[in-house]
Amino acid sequence: GQSLEQPSEVTAVEGAIVQINCTYQTSGFYGLSWYQQHDGGAPTFLSYNGLDGLEETGRFSSFLSRSDSYGYLLLQELQMKDSASYFCAVRDQTGFQKLVFGTGTRLLVSP
Amino acid sequence: EAGVVQSPRYKIIEKKQPVAFWCNPISGHNTLYWYRQNLGQGPELLIRYENEEAVDDSQLPKDRFSAERLKGVDSTLKIQPAELGDSAVYLCASRELGSTDTQYFGPGTRLTVL
């Protein structure tokens, strides 16, 4: 099976940079994804890392190290609207290609 | 482009009553997922469809849950009878054939079982 660990909560101020870590245990691995979910809203896709290294999309970047079973989401120039929960997810290798989500990190951005 | 549509958005029922949720995925998306999300947790897969075929229902509690995706488009998830522990948000997501891990989620149905 798969298991993922994330910090439960992170706080930061507007304009700052914050890093949300994710460590995973898996019997097989086909990439790490990140999703954002505002309270009461739908999870929305942010990024995907299939290979080691950094992927950048605007203010958000995601990093993966397969040898360390570790990844992180980096959010720069934080804005109030970035207050949300962030989930990392790995693809399950039972053959059905389902996503297994972490428990999520709640990010609180203050003025 | 319209997103994933779900209804109802909220549902309150008493235990032992039946309930059904409906999902219309993004047009052209072959893969449809139903997830359950408990408060403070990540989504957990209940069932995955490829077109009209359920290819992964290993985590669907089949004694009380059922799902269908007639004609490979919209889908219905049913619970009968509901239990207190079924209170959660039920999310539907769809994915385009050939994409990596990008799933598009609907707003979900928040179910409260009293």
Side-chain angles (χ1 to χ4, degrees):
Chain A
Q2 319 278 22
S3 67
L4 300 96
E5 288 193 15
Q6 304 178 234
S8 59
E9 188 172 292
V10 174
T11 59
V13 297
E14 271 188 305
I17 300 172
V18 72
Q19 179 174 311
I20 299 174
N21 298 320
C22 174
T23 58
Y24 58 87
Q25 290 185 322
T26 174
S27 56
F29 182 76
Y30 276 81
L32 186 71
S33 299
W34 289 91
Y35 283 76
Q36 177 193 59
Q37 186 177 31
H38 288 97
D39 285 347
T44 56
F45 174 81
L46 290 178
S47 69
Y48 170 77
N49 294 73
L51 300 174
D52 290 353
L54 192 68
E55 294 284 340
E56 298 181 74
T57 308
R59 295 187 297 114
F60 294 1
S61 303
S62 57
F63 172 82
L64 175 66
S65 169
R66 289 175 295 172
S67 60
D68 295 323
S69 297
Y70 164 75
Y72 66 72
L73 180 69
L74 190 72
L75 298 87
Q76 302 182 71
E77 301 174 17
L78 281 174
Q79 302 175 9
M80 296 292 289
K81 67 178 182 179
D82 296 330
S83 293
S85 293
Y86 293 83
F87 296 91
C88 58
V90 294
R91 199 191 307 178
D92 184 89
Q93 288 311 296
T94 60
F96 297 119
Q97 297 191 5
K98 69 187 181 191
L99 281 180
V100 177
F101 286 82
T103 54
T105 298
R106 189 172 179 84
L107 171 63
L108 301 173
V109 181
S110 57
Chain B
E1 177 182 276
V4 176
V5 179
Q6 290 189 247
S7 68
R9 289 296 314 277
Y10 305 90
K11 189 74 176 178
I12 301 175
I13 61 172
E14 294 189 347
K15 63 181 180 181
K16 301 184 181 180
Q17 294 300 304
V19 65
F21 316 123
W22 177 79
C23 171
N24 191 31
I26 293 173
S27 177
H29 282 198
N30 303 78
T31 308
L32 183 146
Y33 306 81
W34 282 103
Y35 289 89
R36 176 168 58 190
Q37 186 175 26
N38 293 308
L39 188 65
Q41 300 293 317
E44 294 179 319
L45 182 71
L46 292 173
I47 189 167
R48 176 172 78 103
Y49 282 93
E50 294 291 346
N51 298 306
E52 65 275 8
E53 182 182 1
V55 295
D56 182 5
D57 62 357
S58 58
Q59 293 185 237
L60 189 72
K62 298 182 184 61
D63 57 335
R64 298 184 299 108
F65 286 64
S66 63
E68 61 182 11
R69 191 185 184 195
L70 301 176
K71 302 182 181 178
V73 182
D74 55 351
S75 176
T76 302
L77 177 69
K78 298 178 181 178
I79 308 175
Q80 181 171 12
E83 298 179 351
L84 295 177
D86 296 331
S87 294
V89 175
Y90 290 84
L91 294 162
C92 178
S94 67
R95 183 176 66 93
E96 187 176 16
L97 185 66
S99 70
T100 52
D101 286 340
T102 307
Q103 296 184 19
Y104 296 87
F105 283 81
T109 298
R110 182 176 296 275
L111 173 67
T112 302
V113 182
L114 303 176

